[in-house]
Amino acid sequence: MFGLSELAVILIVVIAVLAAKKLPELTRSAGKSARILKAEARAMKEQDKAEEAPAAPRIIQGETLPPSAPGSERTGRTDGTPPEGRPAG
């Protein structure tokens, strides 16, 4: 009778012969899956870095706002009225 190693070799050969038609499709789909997984992992890392980055300071009422922030004109408000405690002008 056959030993364990001979049966393993025969089984591998039978699987290779029967799966030869599907093997390229399987490897292609495995490659696509690996690329998708890699892209998703990269996106998650970038999202985590963006969440950890400190936000631009935005202080209201008489302190400096970033120049691109709404309400950063001289009055400190978007509607043109002066902040409380300051005379208009």
Side-chain angles (χ1 to χ4, degrees):
M1 201 81 194
F2 295 111
L4 185 59
S5 61
E6 289 89 4
L7 286 175
V9 169
I10 291 172
L11 183 63
I12 290 171
V13 169
V14 168
I15 289 174
V17 168
L18 294 177
K21 293 180 182 178
K22 295 285 183 179
L23 195 59
E25 291 177 33
L26 291 173
T27 56
R28 194 174 304 121
S29 66
K32 281 184 179 180
S33 298
R35 278 191 297 261
I36 291 171
L37 181 63
K38 195 181 216 181
E40 290 296 324
R42 189 178 310 124
M44 285 178 55
K45 283 182 182 179
E46 289 174 2
Q47 183 180 9
D48 289 344
K49 286 181 182 178
E51 288 175 359
E52 290 176 2
R58 184 178 169 112
I59 303 171
I60 310 292
Q61 298 269 335
E63 295 194 28
T64 307
L65 295 174
S68 62
S72 62
E73 50 274 342
R74 292 188 68 176
T75 62
R77 299 227 175 155
T78 57
D79 61 355
T81 60
E84 289 82 26
R86 290 193 182 169

